[in-house]
Amino acid sequence: MAKSKAEAAVETAIHEVAKEAKESGCCNGKNYGNMGGHAGGGAVYGLGLIGALVYFIQHATSFGDGLLGVLKAIVWPAILIYQVLVNFKL
């Protein structure tokens, strides 16, 4: 069965991308060891989340306040950045 022009173009593009990836060494297993330092933001957010959960739940006087505290703990970074931008009028 003959390939259409679009199928041939897609196949050519796939082969070119694979060739570039092989030449750059991104997919040969040599660079996988350096990925450990890229998750630092997640650790900071996780610690902040735990700290915010503890703070908001300790200060909750009702079950509803506790639920609101859990939601606040999840979105506190967005609230913080918003308030900083408002205060600096950016």
Side-chain angles (χ1 to χ4, degrees):
M1 181 180 238
K3 294 182 185 178
S4 69
K5 289 182 181 180
E7 290 174 332
V10 168
E11 189 173 313
T12 303
I14 290 172
H15 286 297
E16 288 176 8
V17 169
K19 181 180 175 185
E20 288 177 15
K22 187 175 182 180
E23 289 173 355
S24 69
C26 75
C27 303
N28 60 6
K30 293 180 183 175
N31 294 329
Y32 294 143
N34 284 335
M35 293 185 182
H38 298 292
V44 171
Y45 179 78
L47 289 173
L49 175 69
I50 292 168
L53 278 171
V54 169
Y55 174 82
F56 286 125
I57 290 174
Q58 280 182 346
H59 289 85
T61 57
S62 68
F63 182 74
D65 287 343
L67 285 178
L68 183 61
V70 170
L71 292 174
K72 284 182 179 181
I74 293 170
V75 298
W76 72 267
I79 296 169
L80 176 72
I81 296 301
Y82 175 77
Q83 291 299 325
V84 166
L85 293 174
V86 166
N87 288 329
F88 286 125
K89 295 177 177 58
L90 295 176

